[in-house]
Amino acid sequence: MATLTQLHEARRWSMLGLGVFAQASSAVFIHGVAFLLPALTDRGLPLATAGLLVAMPTVGLVCTLIAWGYLVDRIGERKVLVGGPLLMLVAGCAAAVTTDDIALGALLFLGGIGAASTNGASGRVIVGWFPPHRRGLAMGIRQTAQPLGVGIGALAIPAVATAYGVPAAILVPAIMAGVAAVGCRLGIVDPPRPEASTADPALRVNPYREDATLWRIHLVSVLLVVPQGTVWTFALLWLHRDIGWSLAAAGVLVTATQLLGALGRIGAGAWSDRVGSRMGPLRTVAIAAVLSMTALGITAWAHWWWAAIPLLIAASVITVSDNGLAFTAVAEIAGPYWSGRGLGIQNTGQNLAMAAVPPALGGLITASGFPIAFLLAAIVAAAAVPLVPREIN
């Protein structure tokens, strides 16, 4: 087994790339189906019902994230990064040929289970192969997978659904997952970790006992997912229905915001390396999320599109920038014997909140409009600010 110092630099970065692609395929499966909302509602489904259907991949994901974390600790990252995407491929192909909405929901749920595999596993690969002084940057790059996946979904899924139908659109993430499985089978090497019999006993201590730091980080991340999920799920629909943009034009803008969000995650990770703190930048990002979502809600209510659209872009970048910071902090604090479970708990909380956003805010938007939903997301983000831990020594 290679060690951190023995692994060739190019191999380290190639594994980072594979982790990004595997996570991006999961992100397209989990979040990209939200861009089927216009197609599903156009065929007669109520918005709240369609929102529940497109949330099913997230439900499947949150039910199994911790279990995948345990599996990572037992059999290693490589096998998990192959098996999970293969499950996404099978579920996606089956979903593409079903004509029953209940069966579609069940298969999307199964695909979400497969998608859960890449969260903790690819994170462990990065933490295991990159040294601490470069880990914020590496994890920031790894976290670009989520906005990149959302951007791919925003660009491809509505266009494919319009041209070829919902079944063909579902094949987009399924095919990506199949490619990811092959790439990870050929290119991933499990990172080394100390043998349990020789490791420092402190590494094996449950980090959740006698210290609330990890729990506070988890709660902050859960709260900050609400504005992120609000923008991700409803930006396309808001641009199309309230402002009158075509789905193609709206998809291009949402894709651009996700690409900018990917750069924001890299910048946040590099910033945390430079200042030697994950929590200081995390607090700043949380405050910025409150301000941007508040301003977006006010300008959308006033129909000031000249200001609301730039604010949507800003909010799309800001609300994804916290993920890499919290993810890195959890992996570092939990250590090699608990990071799989720590990352599983982290992602479970976030995705439970993400799963609640489409049906809950879909109903709110139906009753009160998009501006109220944006303002509610700002209020939730404000609750996160005082919960950010001061510093981690």
Side-chain angles (χ1 to χ4, degrees):
M1 173 70 70
T3 65
L4 180 62
T5 55
Q6 292 171 337
L7 190 72
H8 194 276
E9 187 74 4
R11 187 64 183 276
R12 183 179 292 123
W13 287 99
S14 72
M15 286 193 288
L16 173 59
L18 287 169
V20 168
F21 185 79
Q23 178 66 22
S25 70
S26 295
V28 176
F29 204 108
I30 295 297
H31 305 292
V33 293
F35 299 114
L36 290 173
L37 279 174
L40 292 172
T41 53
D42 284 348
R43 72 185 196 188
L45 281 177
L47 180 57
T49 303
L52 179 61
L53 186 63
V54 302
M56 291 309 294
T58 304
V59 176
L61 180 140
V62 299
C63 288
T64 54
L65 279 166
I66 297 175
W68 280 113
Y70 275 105
L71 196 59
V72 163
D73 289 336
R74 288 192 171 272
I75 68 174
E77 285 81 355
R78 182 168 176 255
K79 292 179 181 177
V80 168
L81 284 170
V82 173
L86 282 177
L87 182 57
M88 278 193 285
L89 172 64
V90 172
C93 290
V97 299
T98 188
T99 57
D100 181 79
D101 286 337
I102 295 176
L104 175 60
L107 289 165
L108 291 175
F109 174 86
L110 184 63
I113 292 175
S117 64
T118 65
N119 286 265
S122 57
R124 282 283 305 277
V125 167
I126 304 312
V127 171
W129 285 125
F130 282 82
H133 66 277
R134 298 173 64 188
R135 198 172 287 154
L137 173 62
M139 194 67 80
I141 294 173
R142 185 262 183 190
Q143 288 290 322
T144 64
Q146 201 169 35
L148 285 173
V150 175
I152 291 169
L155 186 64
I157 287 180
V160 173
T162 299
Y164 304 104
V166 170
I170 295 173
L171 285 176
V172 172
I175 293 171
M176 285 185 64
V179 174
V182 173
C184 290
R185 174 65 178 82
L186 297 175
I188 293 293
V189 177
D190 285 330
R193 120 182 137 159
E195 294 293 335
S197 59
T198 59
D200 182 348
L203 295 176
R204 301 195 297 271
V205 173
N206 185 343
Y208 289 93
R209 292 178 181 171
E210 300 178 359
D211 190 347
T213 298
L214 282 174
W215 290 118
R216 289 180 66 176
I217 295 172
H218 294 328
L219 182 54
V220 167
S221 296
V222 166
L223 294 171
L224 292 180
V225 154
V226 174
Q228 176 182 316
T230 301
V231 173
W232 278 7
T233 304
F234 296 108
L236 185 81
L237 201 61
W238 174 64
L239 290 167
H240 177 58
R241 292 193 175 174
D242 273 23
I243 304 182
W245 286 22
S246 70
L247 287 175
V252 169
L253 180 63
V254 172
T255 300
T257 63
Q258 294 302 320
L259 294 174
L260 291 172
L263 295 177
R265 292 191 183 202
I266 295 174
W271 174 26
S272 72
D273 283 341
R274 186 166 56 250
V275 301
S277 169
R278 314 295 181 203
M279 296 300 100
L282 179 59
R283 184 177 298 103
T284 301
V285 169
I287 294 170
V290 175
L291 297 176
S292 62
M293 292 302 296
T294 300
L296 176 60
I298 293 170
T299 54
W301 173 76
H303 294 178
W304 296 341
W305 308 134
W306 56 270
I309 292 173
L311 283 166
L312 173 68
I313 296 171
S316 298
V317 175
I318 291 166
T319 57
V320 301
S321 296
D322 65 285
N323 290 44
L325 299 170
F327 202 84
T328 306
V330 168
E332 291 174 334
I333 296 167
Y337 289 96
W338 282 86
S339 60
R341 282 163 283 187
L343 295 175
I345 294 169
Q346 169 76 5
N347 282 292
T348 297
Q350 286 185 296
N351 285 285
L352 279 171
M354 186 69 77
V357 166
L361 291 190
L364 178 63
I365 289 167
T366 300
S368 304
F370 288 97
I372 296 300
F374 297 150
L375 291 172
L376 177 61
I379 293 170
V380 175
V385 175
L387 294 173
V388 179
R390 281 295 166 187
E391 270 317 327
I392 301 170
N393 296 320

